[in-house]
Amino acid sequence: MALADLHTKIDLQNSSQLSYVSTRLSYNHRISLRPLPQPHNSRICCSVTSKEVQAPVTVNTEEPKKKPDCYGIFCLTYDLMAGEETKSWKKLINIAISGAAGMISNHLLFKLASGEVFGPDQPIALKLLGSERSFEALEGVAMELEDSLFPLLREVSIGIDAYEVFQDADWALLIGAKPRGPGMERADLLDINGQIFAEQGKALNAVASRNVKVIVVGNPCNTNALICLKNAPDIPAKNFHALTRLDENRAKCQLALKAGVFYDKVSNVTIWGNHSTTQVPDFLNAKINGIPVKEVIKDTKWLEEEFTEMVQKRGGVLIKKWGRSSAASTAVSVVDAIRSLVTPTPEGDWISSGVYTAGNPYGIAEDIVFSMPCRSKGDGDYELVKDVIIDDYLRSRIKMTEAELLAEKRCVAHLTGEVRIKFPSSRILQLTL
């Protein structure tokens, strides 16, 4: 159907936000018009506005271009009046999400669309990546987003081709991954999910913004982030993050409970290393009401054993009780992780994120993705914190999680561009392709 048939002009001169008016076709009729999804012809791209809110332009008498079939309000193009030329609306942010039909995304997407993450004056476009099997579920997600009337949500597109969905992405939230099943070895999971993230890295490298920020949620997230960044050589390695914010939040919760304070009194919590049971929740540098934790909680045995193990195994315990892995709390931690990069870090505090270790000041092995303490100026970038204490206990624990990540890296050498070739002399030579 031609765009002109759906076009609706709206006078926004006396309105501070978009007033959603829908000239809808019935859902069944729209579906009958949409071709079956194909790997390279599967995207539904439905713009409400251009990249920036603009003043009216001269009337174009040319035949309007046709647009793909889409959902109600996302099909419409609005003419914004001069009075709506804004001093507060910002440039549109393109946010790509993989695994967009899953449980984590079901919680996350509505937080993003509401303005809770990027702010109440930041228009966004959501680009949702799924699979052929989840395509109808993605349509349902688009319908729910439409029905929620979010004024900041200017575009929704869904598809199964990463090269289309990741086009011009400013943020990429990589959630989709195969969960570990009964009897599955960690190496098997590394290989299966690693292949997914290798392909997504290539897609980001080809079509995303050159300064795209990438947060990898799908597990094993540290090594998946390494695979992804290795397959995206034109994007700064510093722009890739593995999500360890949920572990940080869990650690803050347990310290607050033990100290009898509210969680906002807990600061400077670091998760070191891998998002696994070898991770190291750091109580040495953490503070409660600005006082070192070890001066507030004097039970060293509890800190070294019960607290540490509780944080390390929290996810597994939750699965046993809940019957599935965490979804809502993971979505909240993704929100926290993004806001920590787009909001200046409070003076004296820091956050945890799995980042590339090149040039780190802690003596951690280079060329892995390792959770470390970071600070941000609020520009989406970060710097590593240098004023931390590392004693013998903490260093020994860091070495254990480092060893695990180095072992994982060896398992996925074929996906990161490194191969090991055995020569007749039995010597092993590592080559970078």
Side-chain angles (χ1 to χ4, degrees), residues 224-251:
N224 285 339
L226 180 67
I227 293 168
C228 197
L229 73 87
K230 288 292 186 179
N231 283 276
D234 298 329
I235 297 170
K238 192 178 182 183
N239 289 16
F240 290 79
H241 298 257
L243 184 73
T244 56
R245 185 56 176 267
L246 178 56
D247 304 305
E248 177 189 325
N249 289 352
R250 288 167 171 169

Side-chain angles (χ1 to χ4, degrees), residues 11 57 71 94 100 191 264 329 336 383 412:
D11 185 353
V57 296
Y71 292 92
N94 292 308
D191 185 61
D264 64 348
S329 59
D336 290 342
E383 60 182 18
V412 299

Side-chain angles (χ1 to χ4, degrees), residues 69-90:
D69 297 318
C70 51
Y71 292 92
I73 59 172
F74 297 121
C75 292
L76 301 178
T77 299
Y78 294 94
D79 286 342
L80 300 178
M81 306 301 291
E84 187 67 9
E85 185 178 9
T86 175
K87 297 177 182 177
S88 59
W89 289 110
K90 298 176 181 177

